Amino acid sequence: MSHKVASTSPRNVAVLVFPFTSHPTALLRFVRSLSTVAPDMQFSFFNISRSNSSLFSGSGNKGCDNIKPYNVWDGLPDGYIPLSRNPQREHVELFIDNAPRIFERAIKEVEAETGHKFGCLISDALFWFAADIAEKMHVPWVTSWIGDIRSLFVHIETDIIRDKVGAPGQDNKTLEFLSGFSDEFQASDLPKEIVFGDIESPFARMLHKMGQKLPQAAAVAVNSFETMDLKVTEELKKRLQKLILVGPLHLVRPLQSVVSDDEDQQQEEDVCLQWLDDHEPASVAYISFGSLGALPPMEVVALAEALEEGGFPFLWSFRGNLEDFPQEFIERTNKLSIGKIVSWVNQEQILNHTSIGVHVTHSGWNSILESVSCCVPMIGRPGFADQHINMRSVEVVWQIGVRIEGGVFTKTGAVKALEQVLFLEQGKEMRQRIGVLKQLAQEAVGPNGRSAQNLRALVEIIKA
Ligand SMILES: O=c1ccn([C@@H]2O[C@H](COP(=O)(O)OP(=O)(O)O[C@H]3O[C@H](CO)[C@@H](O)[C@H](O)[C@H]3O)[C@@H](O)[C@H]2O)c(=O)[nH]1
């Protein structure tokens, strides 16, 4: 590698990616939005190679020549063999352990190679250590939190929460001691890393540190919009140097072209859309549990039986074991044209189809935002992380969905929820409320909208 004399440029930005689940996609979406506002800036996207190849293959980065992917070490030693029964978690923990060194080294190498010093560091908010790297580099640290502001707020307030509800058996304790939270929020809605789980795990420690460090960031960008949750936005602003809501980002700049590069995938999508064309407006249940997305086998059976017994048309984006379905369920429902099971769809495109009447979801933040922008009420079956708190907001703050009774799918619980959203007055009211939010979301990203203004203000902070 050649070593040139480096000069600092505020237009050169290093982006540090948390390379698991939907984080890389979300961060790239954020950077793409910035690059649209500031085409004169250069973004170096530091990410592991497997994730970079899937993000930047085909037309994934079309029109964004100013974002350049750089591969970093994935944290796994040569010849590594997983030791536990959860290799994914093991990988995340090894990566977290090595991340500060991985990124510092990669940044130095790129600076030496290009002869340009970076003028700003953007990182996934999880990377609290980026504050220290930025300080050493004498550049501003800007972070991106890819979830909702309420889930961010509870990480900032972790010490207070631990103090108030730390003892075991306090799951039902209400959270109104947190500004902006009503007594409808309970301790059981919190991510388990905050109080009731293994709070010493590497991931839990990273989240705790993140909450302590974020107030040092020059700006914390969040994929939401100010009118979505005014009270918590105001509270969070008091705790951070600069809270900047820039979303919903999928409305600012779609990540991929609507037409997929993968021909088989595109063919499957077309078949799905044609199938949806044959259904009544607002009649089909779209079912998906995010990018990881599998349900326990008993719940797959319960939900499948509910769909079949109630005759609810459904499109299920399913990434589990097909053998979990009741015997011949797939053949029967397919033959009667009641249901379709696919491995992956373009979710935004599906949710936008007029025949979709409900989104059965794990309550991941991107899925909620996409449901809002497509005006589709939700049935939530949250699993982990921020999903419980997101779903509580869906239920009690925005009132645009219901949580599945008892927190897990049973046949009767699923039939009840599907009838409620698809056929009853409550469902109609949810659709009306979600329509108002959709309008607010569109206004926010419009040319004079608050999120659009915020994005432009953020570019100024980065260039300063
Ligand atoms: O068939 C599918 C299924 C999913 N998606 C997309 O995948 C994304 C899923 O994102 P999200 O709903 O946020 O779920 P996860 O991928 O599970 O996201 C992780 O990250 C989120 C943001 O921090 C958290 O809210 C979640 O709890 C966490 O699991 C969305 O954009 C969907 O459009 C598709 O395009 N096709």
Side-chain angles (χ1 to χ4, degrees), residues 21-23 126 145-155 185 188-194 203 207 210 222-223 362-368 381-394 398 403:
T21 67
S22 53
H23 283 247
L126 293 174
W145 173 252
I146 70 165
D148 181 30
I149 49 166
R150 207 173 273 267
S151 62
L152 176 58
F153 192 78
V154 294
H155 290 299
F185 285 86
S188 56
D189 296 330
L190 294 166
K192 71 178 181 354
E193 288 81 6
I194 293 187
F203 196 69
L207 286 166
M210 171 191 82
V222 181
N223 183 13
H362 66 317
S363 320
W365 183 238
N366 294 297
S367 292
I368 292 175
R381 193 288 188 200
F384 59 91
D386 56 347
Q387 294 161 14
H388 291 277
I389 209 159
N390 291 345
M391 191 57 214
R392 192 66 78 190
S393 298
V394 164
W398 307 307
R403 177 193 296 251

Short mmCIF file of all heavy atoms in Angstrom, two decimals, residues 21-23 126 145-155 185 188-194 203 207 210 222-223 362-368 381-394 398 403:
data_model
loop_
_atom_site.label_atom_id
_atom_site.label_comp_id
_atom_site.label_asym_id
_atom_site.label_seq_id
_atom_site.Cartn_x
_atom_site.Cartn_y
_atom_site.Cartn_z
N THR A 21 -28.22 -8.29 10.92
CA THR A 21 -29.67 -8.10 10.69
C THR A 21 -29.91 -6.96 9.68
O THR A 21 -29.18 -6.85 8.69
CB THR A 21 -30.48 -7.87 12.01
OG1 THR A 21 -30.10 -6.62 12.59
CG2 THR A 21 -30.27 -9.00 12.98
N SER A 22 -30.90 -6.11 9.94
CA SER A 22 -31.20 -5.09 8.93
C SER A 22 -30.38 -3.81 9.12
O SER A 22 -30.63 -2.82 8.44
CB SER A 22 -32.70 -4.77 8.93
OG SER A 22 -33.09 -4.44 10.24
N HIS A 23 -29.39 -3.82 10.04
CA HIS A 23 -28.59 -2.60 10.28
C HIS A 23 -27.86 -2.08 9.04
O HIS A 23 -27.92 -0.88 8.76
CB HIS A 23 -27.60 -2.82 11.43
CG HIS A 23 -28.26 -2.78 12.77
ND1 HIS A 23 -28.04 -1.80 13.71
CD2 HIS A 23 -29.19 -3.60 13.33
CE1 HIS A 23 -28.77 -2.02 14.78
NE2 HIS A 23 -29.48 -3.12 14.57
N LEU A 126 -25.07 2.08 17.74
CA LEU A 126 -24.59 1.05 18.66
C LEU A 126 -23.10 1.21 18.96
O LEU A 126 -22.63 0.84 20.03
CB LEU A 126 -24.79 -0.34 18.03
CG LEU A 126 -26.23 -0.83 17.84
CD1 LEU A 126 -26.23 -2.15 17.08
CD2 LEU A 126 -26.91 -1.00 19.19
N TRP A 145 -29.45 5.99 14.56
CA TRP A 145 -30.21 4.98 15.30
C TRP A 145 -31.30 4.48 14.36
O TRP A 145 -32.08 5.28 13.85
CB TRP A 145 -30.83 5.60 16.57
CG TRP A 145 -31.78 4.69 17.30
CD1 TRP A 145 -33.14 4.78 17.35
CD2 TRP A 145 -31.43 3.53 18.09
NE1 TRP A 145 -33.65 3.78 18.12
CE2 TRP A 145 -32.63 2.99 18.59
CE3 TRP A 145 -30.22 2.91 18.42
CZ2 TRP A 145 -32.66 1.85 19.40
CZ3 TRP A 145 -30.26 1.78 19.22
CH2 TRP A 145 -31.46 1.26 19.70
N ILE A 146 -31.32 3.17 14.12
CA ILE A 146 -32.22 2.72 13.04
C ILE A 146 -33.61 2.31 13.54
O ILE A 146 -34.44 1.87 12.76
CB ILE A 146 -31.57 1.59 12.19
CG1 ILE A 146 -31.47 0.29 13.01
CG2 ILE A 146 -30.21 2.00 11.65
CD1 ILE A 146 -31.19 -0.91 12.15
N GLY A 147 -33.84 2.45 14.86
CA GLY A 147 -35.17 2.12 15.39
C GLY A 147 -35.98 3.37 15.67
O GLY A 147 -35.69 4.46 15.15
N ASP A 148 -37.00 3.23 16.53
CA ASP A 148 -37.87 4.34 16.90
C ASP A 148 -37.24 5.17 18.01
O ASP A 148 -36.36 4.69 18.73
CB ASP A 148 -39.21 3.77 17.37
CG ASP A 148 -40.19 4.86 17.75
OD1 ASP A 148 -40.11 5.96 17.16
OD2 ASP A 148 -41.03 4.63 18.64
N ILE A 149 -37.71 6.41 18.20
CA ILE A 149 -37.14 7.25 19.25
C ILE A 149 -37.46 6.74 20.65
O ILE A 149 -36.70 6.92 21.57
CB ILE A 149 -37.57 8.72 19.15
CG1 ILE A 149 -39.07 8.83 19.00
CG2 ILE A 149 -36.89 9.44 18.03
CD1 ILE A 149 -39.53 10.25 19.25
N ARG A 150 -38.63 6.09 20.83
CA ARG A 150 -38.99 5.61 22.16
C ARG A 150 -38.02 4.50 22.60
O ARG A 150 -37.62 4.42 23.75
CB ARG A 150 -40.43 5.12 22.17
CG ARG A 150 -41.11 5.22 23.51
CD ARG A 150 -42.58 4.87 23.37
NE ARG A 150 -43.39 6.00 23.02
CZ ARG A 150 -44.01 6.80 23.89
NH1 ARG A 150 -43.90 6.57 25.18
NH2 ARG A 150 -44.74 7.81 23.49
N SER A 151 -37.63 3.66 21.64
CA SER A 151 -36.69 2.59 22.01
C SER A 151 -35.30 3.18 22.27
O SER A 151 -34.55 2.68 23.11
CB SER A 151 -36.64 1.50 20.93
OG SER A 151 -36.18 2.02 19.71
N LEU A 152 -34.98 4.26 21.60
CA LEU A 152 -33.70 4.93 21.87
C LEU A 152 -33.74 5.57 23.28
O LEU A 152 -32.80 5.47 24.06
CB LEU A 152 -33.43 6.00 20.81
CG LEU A 152 -32.19 6.85 21.01
CD1 LEU A 152 -30.94 6.00 21.07
CD2 LEU A 152 -32.05 7.88 19.87
N PHE A 153 -34.87 6.19 23.57
CA PHE A 153 -35.04 6.88 24.85
C PHE A 153 -34.78 5.95 26.03
O PHE A 153 -34.10 6.31 26.99
CB PHE A 153 -36.47 7.44 24.91
CG PHE A 153 -36.69 8.41 26.03
CD1 PHE A 153 -36.24 9.71 25.94
CD2 PHE A 153 -37.36 8.02 27.18
CE1 PHE A 153 -36.44 10.61 26.97
CE2 PHE A 153 -37.58 8.91 28.22
CZ PHE A 153 -37.12 10.21 28.11
N VAL A 154 -35.30 4.71 25.95
CA VAL A 154 -35.12 3.81 27.11
C VAL A 154 -33.66 3.38 27.28
O VAL A 154 -33.23 3.07 28.38
CB VAL A 154 -36.06 2.57 27.08
CG1 VAL A 154 -37.50 3.01 27.21
CG2 VAL A 154 -35.85 1.70 25.87
N HIS A 155 -32.88 3.41 26.20
CA HIS A 155 -31.44 3.12 26.36
C HIS A 155 -30.71 4.30 27.00
O HIS A 155 -29.80 4.13 27.79
CB HIS A 155 -30.81 2.75 25.01
CG HIS A 155 -31.28 1.41 24.52
ND1 HIS A 155 -31.07 0.25 25.21
CD2 HIS A 155 -31.99 1.07 23.42
CE1 HIS A 155 -31.62 -0.76 24.55
NE2 HIS A 155 -32.18 -0.30 23.47
N PHE A 185 -47.44 1.78 29.33
CA PHE A 185 -46.16 1.11 29.05
C PHE A 185 -45.70 0.40 30.32
O PHE A 185 -45.76 0.98 31.41
CB PHE A 185 -45.09 2.12 28.63
CG PHE A 185 -45.28 2.61 27.23
CD1 PHE A 185 -46.12 3.68 26.95
CD2 PHE A 185 -44.63 2.00 26.16
CE1 PHE A 185 -46.32 4.13 25.66
CE2 PHE A 185 -44.81 2.44 24.86
CZ PHE A 185 -45.65 3.49 24.61
N SER A 188 -42.25 -4.91 31.21
CA SER A 188 -42.13 -6.08 30.31
C SER A 188 -42.02 -5.65 28.84
O SER A 188 -41.69 -6.47 27.99
CB SER A 188 -43.33 -7.01 30.50
OG SER A 188 -44.51 -6.27 30.29
N ASP A 189 -42.31 -4.39 28.55
CA ASP A 189 -42.15 -3.90 27.16
C ASP A 189 -40.69 -3.54 26.85
O ASP A 189 -40.35 -3.28 25.69
CB ASP A 189 -42.99 -2.62 26.94
CG ASP A 189 -44.48 -2.88 27.08
OD1 ASP A 189 -44.90 -4.01 26.78
OD2 ASP A 189 -45.20 -1.96 27.50
N LEU A 190 -39.86 -3.48 27.87
CA LEU A 190 -38.47 -3.03 27.64
C LEU A 190 -37.63 -4.12 26.98
O LEU A 190 -37.85 -5.31 27.23
CB LEU A 190 -37.82 -2.68 28.99
CG LEU A 190 -38.41 -1.49 29.72
CD1 LEU A 190 -37.92 -1.47 31.18
CD2 LEU A 190 -38.04 -0.19 29.02
N PRO A 191 -36.66 -3.71 26.15
CA PRO A 191 -35.72 -4.71 25.62
C PRO A 191 -35.07 -5.43 26.80
O PRO A 191 -34.78 -4.81 27.83
CB PRO A 191 -34.67 -3.86 24.88
CG PRO A 191 -35.36 -2.57 24.58
CD PRO A 191 -36.36 -2.36 25.67
N LYS A 192 -34.86 -6.74 26.68
CA LYS A 192 -34.41 -7.52 27.85
C LYS A 192 -32.99 -7.12 28.30
O LYS A 192 -32.60 -7.36 29.42
CB LYS A 192 -34.53 -9.01 27.61
CG LYS A 192 -33.54 -9.60 26.63
CD LYS A 192 -33.79 -11.09 26.55
CE LYS A 192 -32.86 -11.84 25.62
NZ LYS A 192 -31.90 -11.14 24.79
N GLU A 193 -32.26 -6.45 27.42
CA GLU A 193 -30.90 -6.00 27.79
C GLU A 193 -30.94 -4.89 28.85
O GLU A 193 -29.93 -4.58 29.46
CB GLU A 193 -30.14 -5.47 26.56
CG GLU A 193 -29.72 -6.53 25.56
CD GLU A 193 -30.83 -6.96 24.62
OE1 GLU A 193 -31.93 -6.34 24.67
OE2 GLU A 193 -30.62 -7.91 23.85
N ILE A 194 -32.11 -4.27 29.04
CA ILE A 194 -32.15 -3.14 29.98
C ILE A 194 -32.29 -3.60 31.42
O ILE A 194 -31.55 -3.17 32.29
CB ILE A 194 -33.25 -2.14 29.58
CG1 ILE A 194 -32.83 -1.50 28.27
CG2 ILE A 194 -33.49 -1.09 30.67
CD1 ILE A 194 -33.69 -0.39 27.79
N PHE A 203 -23.65 -7.66 24.21
CA PHE A 203 -24.61 -6.80 23.50
C PHE A 203 -25.28 -5.82 24.48
O PHE A 203 -25.42 -4.63 24.20
CB PHE A 203 -25.64 -7.66 22.77
CG PHE A 203 -26.40 -6.89 21.74
CD1 PHE A 203 -25.77 -6.45 20.58
CD2 PHE A 203 -27.74 -6.58 21.92
CE1 PHE A 203 -26.46 -5.72 19.62
CE2 PHE A 203 -28.44 -5.85 20.96
CZ PHE A 203 -27.80 -5.43 19.82
N LEU A 207 -25.20 -1.70 24.49
CA LEU A 207 -26.36 -0.81 24.50
C LEU A 207 -26.29 0.19 25.67
O LEU A 207 -26.66 1.36 25.52
CB LEU A 207 -27.65 -1.64 24.60
CG LEU A 207 -28.04 -2.38 23.33
CD1 LEU A 207 -29.10 -3.44 23.63
CD2 LEU A 207 -28.56 -1.41 22.27
N MET A 210 -23.78 2.75 24.87
CA MET A 210 -24.33 3.62 23.83
C MET A 210 -25.18 4.73 24.46
O MET A 210 -25.03 5.92 24.14
CB MET A 210 -25.19 2.80 22.87
CG MET A 210 -25.97 3.63 21.88
SD MET A 210 -27.21 2.67 20.99
CE MET A 210 -28.53 2.65 22.17
N VAL A 222 -32.29 9.85 13.40
CA VAL A 222 -33.22 8.74 13.62
C VAL A 222 -34.20 8.65 12.46
O VAL A 222 -34.66 9.67 11.93
CB VAL A 222 -34.01 8.94 14.95
CG1 VAL A 222 -34.96 7.77 15.19
CG2 VAL A 222 -33.06 9.06 16.15
N ASN A 223 -34.48 7.41 12.07
CA ASN A 223 -35.40 7.18 10.96
C ASN A 223 -36.85 7.25 11.45
O ASN A 223 -37.54 6.25 11.59
CB ASN A 223 -35.11 5.79 10.35
CG ASN A 223 -35.98 5.53 9.13
OD1 ASN A 223 -36.62 6.44 8.60
ND2 ASN A 223 -36.03 4.27 8.71
N HIS A 362 -43.65 -8.87 13.30
CA HIS A 362 -42.88 -9.00 14.53
C HIS A 362 -42.67 -7.63 15.19
O HIS A 362 -42.05 -7.52 16.22
CB HIS A 362 -41.53 -9.64 14.23
CG HIS A 362 -40.62 -8.78 13.38
ND1 HIS A 362 -41.07 -8.09 12.27
CD2 HIS A 362 -39.31 -8.48 13.49
CE1 HIS A 362 -40.06 -7.42 11.75
NE2 HIS A 362 -38.98 -7.64 12.46
N SER A 363 -43.14 -6.57 14.51
CA SER A 363 -43.05 -5.19 15.01
C SER A 363 -41.64 -4.61 14.96
O SER A 363 -41.25 -3.79 15.82
CB SER A 363 -43.58 -5.06 16.46
OG SER A 363 -44.71 -5.84 16.65
N GLY A 364 -40.85 -5.03 13.97
CA GLY A 364 -39.57 -4.37 13.68
C GLY A 364 -39.87 -2.94 13.21
O GLY A 364 -40.93 -2.68 12.62
N TRP A 365 -38.96 -2.02 13.47
CA TRP A 365 -39.26 -0.62 13.21
C TRP A 365 -39.49 -0.32 11.72
O TRP A 365 -40.40 0.43 11.35
CB TRP A 365 -38.16 0.28 13.78
CG TRP A 365 -38.46 1.73 13.58
CD1 TRP A 365 -37.71 2.65 12.93
CD2 TRP A 365 -39.64 2.42 14.03
NE1 TRP A 365 -38.33 3.88 12.93
CE2 TRP A 365 -39.53 3.76 13.61
CE3 TRP A 365 -40.79 2.03 14.73
CZ2 TRP A 365 -40.51 4.72 13.87
CZ3 TRP A 365 -41.77 2.99 14.98
CH2 TRP A 365 -41.63 4.31 14.56
N ASN A 366 -38.67 -0.93 10.85
CA ASN A 366 -38.87 -0.65 9.42
C ASN A 366 -40.23 -1.16 8.94
O ASN A 366 -40.90 -0.51 8.15
CB ASN A 366 -37.76 -1.31 8.59
CG ASN A 366 -36.43 -0.67 8.88
OD1 ASN A 366 -36.24 0.51 8.62
ND2 ASN A 366 -35.52 -1.43 9.46
N SER A 367 -40.62 -2.32 9.46
CA SER A 367 -41.91 -2.87 9.06
C SER A 367 -43.05 -1.95 9.50
O SER A 367 -44.02 -1.75 8.77
CB SER A 367 -42.09 -4.27 9.65
OG SER A 367 -41.17 -5.15 9.03
N ILE A 368 -42.93 -1.39 10.70
CA ILE A 368 -43.98 -0.47 11.18
C ILE A 368 -44.05 0.78 10.29
O ILE A 368 -45.12 1.18 9.84
CB ILE A 368 -43.74 -0.09 12.65
CG1 ILE A 368 -43.96 -1.33 13.53
CG2 ILE A 368 -44.64 1.05 13.10
CD1 ILE A 368 -43.62 -1.14 14.99
N ARG A 381 -46.83 -9.51 16.83
CA ARG A 381 -46.36 -10.62 17.67
C ARG A 381 -44.88 -10.33 17.92
O ARG A 381 -43.99 -10.92 17.28
CB ARG A 381 -46.57 -11.94 16.92
CG ARG A 381 -46.43 -13.22 17.76
CD ARG A 381 -45.00 -13.44 18.11
NE ARG A 381 -44.74 -14.72 18.76
CZ ARG A 381 -43.65 -14.95 19.48
NH1 ARG A 381 -42.76 -13.98 19.69
NH2 ARG A 381 -43.44 -16.12 20.01
N PRO A 382 -44.63 -9.33 18.84
CA PRO A 382 -43.22 -8.96 19.07
C PRO A 382 -42.43 -10.11 19.68
O PRO A 382 -43.00 -10.92 20.42
CB PRO A 382 -43.33 -7.80 20.05
CG PRO A 382 -44.70 -7.85 20.62
CD PRO A 382 -45.57 -8.57 19.66
N GLY A 383 -41.12 -10.14 19.35
CA GLY A 383 -40.27 -11.22 19.86
C GLY A 383 -39.18 -10.73 20.79
O GLY A 383 -39.12 -11.11 21.95
N PHE A 384 -38.31 -9.84 20.30
CA PHE A 384 -37.16 -9.44 21.11
C PHE A 384 -36.80 -7.98 20.82
O PHE A 384 -37.47 -7.31 20.02
CB PHE A 384 -35.95 -10.36 20.82
CG PHE A 384 -35.53 -10.36 19.37
CD1 PHE A 384 -34.57 -9.48 18.93
CD2 PHE A 384 -36.11 -11.24 18.46
CE1 PHE A 384 -34.18 -9.44 17.60
CE2 PHE A 384 -35.72 -11.22 17.11
CZ PHE A 384 -34.76 -10.32 16.70
N ALA A 385 -35.73 -7.54 21.48
CA ALA A 385 -35.19 -6.17 21.31
C ALA A 385 -36.28 -5.11 21.48
O ALA A 385 -37.06 -5.15 22.42
CB ALA A 385 -34.46 -6.06 19.98
N ASP A 386 -36.34 -4.18 20.50
CA ASP A 386 -37.27 -3.06 20.60
C ASP A 386 -38.70 -3.43 20.22
O ASP A 386 -39.60 -2.59 20.25
CB ASP A 386 -36.79 -1.94 19.67
CG ASP A 386 -36.63 -2.44 18.24
OD1 ASP A 386 -36.64 -3.67 18.02
OD2 ASP A 386 -36.50 -1.60 17.32
N GLN A 387 -38.93 -4.69 19.83
CA GLN A 387 -40.22 -5.03 19.20
C GLN A 387 -41.41 -4.87 20.16
O GLN A 387 -42.49 -4.45 19.74
CB GLN A 387 -40.15 -6.44 18.63
CG GLN A 387 -39.14 -6.52 17.48
CD GLN A 387 -38.68 -7.93 17.16
OE1 GLN A 387 -39.26 -8.91 17.61
NE2 GLN A 387 -37.61 -8.05 16.37
N HIS A 388 -41.20 -5.15 21.46
CA HIS A 388 -42.32 -5.02 22.41
C HIS A 388 -42.71 -3.55 22.60
O HIS A 388 -43.88 -3.21 22.62
CB HIS A 388 -41.94 -5.64 23.76
CG HIS A 388 -41.83 -7.13 23.68
ND1 HIS A 388 -42.91 -7.96 23.79
CD2 HIS A 388 -40.76 -7.94 23.48
CE1 HIS A 388 -42.52 -9.22 23.68
NE2 HIS A 388 -41.22 -9.23 23.48
N ILE A 389 -41.70 -2.72 22.72
CA ILE A 389 -42.00 -1.30 22.97
C ILE A 389 -42.60 -0.67 21.70
O ILE A 389 -43.52 0.16 21.77
CB ILE A 389 -40.76 -0.56 23.52
CG1 ILE A 389 -41.21 0.58 24.40
CG2 ILE A 389 -39.84 -0.02 22.46
CD1 ILE A 389 -40.13 1.03 25.35
N ASN A 390 -42.10 -1.08 20.55
CA ASN A 390 -42.68 -0.60 19.28
C ASN A 390 -44.16 -0.95 19.21
O ASN A 390 -45.01 -0.14 18.84
CB ASN A 390 -42.00 -1.26 18.08
CG ASN A 390 -40.55 -0.81 17.88
OD1 ASN A 390 -40.15 0.19 18.46
ND2 ASN A 390 -39.80 -1.53 17.07
N MET A 391 -44.46 -2.21 19.57
CA MET A 391 -45.85 -2.67 19.44
C MET A 391 -46.75 -1.94 20.42
O MET A 391 -47.89 -1.63 20.12
CB MET A 391 -45.90 -4.19 19.67
CG MET A 391 -47.25 -4.79 19.29
SD MET A 391 -47.65 -4.43 17.56
CE MET A 391 -49.44 -4.27 17.64
N ARG A 392 -46.20 -1.66 21.62
CA ARG A 392 -47.02 -0.93 22.59
C ARG A 392 -47.36 0.46 22.03
O ARG A 392 -48.48 0.93 22.17
CB ARG A 392 -46.27 -0.81 23.92
CG ARG A 392 -47.11 -0.35 25.05
CD ARG A 392 -48.19 -1.31 25.48
NE ARG A 392 -47.69 -2.40 26.28
CZ ARG A 392 -48.39 -3.47 26.63
NH1 ARG A 392 -49.64 -3.62 26.24
NH2 ARG A 392 -47.85 -4.43 27.36
N SER A 393 -46.40 1.10 21.36
CA SER A 393 -46.71 2.41 20.75
C SER A 393 -47.78 2.25 19.67
O SER A 393 -48.70 3.08 19.55
CB SER A 393 -45.46 3.03 20.11
OG SER A 393 -44.48 3.26 21.06
N VAL A 394 -47.66 1.19 18.88
CA VAL A 394 -48.66 0.94 17.82
C VAL A 394 -50.05 0.83 18.44
O VAL A 394 -51.02 1.39 17.95
CB VAL A 394 -48.30 -0.36 17.05
CG1 VAL A 394 -49.49 -0.88 16.23
CG2 VAL A 394 -47.09 -0.14 16.15
N TRP A 398 -50.42 5.34 18.88
CA TRP A 398 -51.01 5.63 17.56
C TRP A 398 -52.32 4.89 17.32
O TRP A 398 -53.07 5.25 16.43
CB TRP A 398 -49.99 5.27 16.46
CG TRP A 398 -48.67 5.93 16.66
CD1 TRP A 398 -48.46 7.26 16.85
CD2 TRP A 398 -47.38 5.30 16.76
NE1 TRP A 398 -47.12 7.50 17.06
CE2 TRP A 398 -46.43 6.32 17.00
CE3 TRP A 398 -46.93 3.99 16.66
CZ2 TRP A 398 -45.07 6.06 17.14
CZ3 TRP A 398 -45.57 3.73 16.80
CH2 TRP A 398 -44.66 4.76 17.04
N ARG A 403 -51.95 -6.10 19.50
CA ARG A 403 -50.98 -7.15 19.84
C ARG A 403 -51.77 -8.46 19.96
O ARG A 403 -52.90 -8.48 20.42
CB ARG A 403 -50.37 -6.80 21.19
CG ARG A 403 -49.39 -7.82 21.73
CD ARG A 403 -49.12 -7.50 23.18
NE ARG A 403 -48.45 -6.21 23.27
CZ ARG A 403 -47.16 -6.06 23.62
NH1 ARG A 403 -46.45 -7.12 23.95
NH2 ARG A 403 -46.61 -4.88 23.67
#
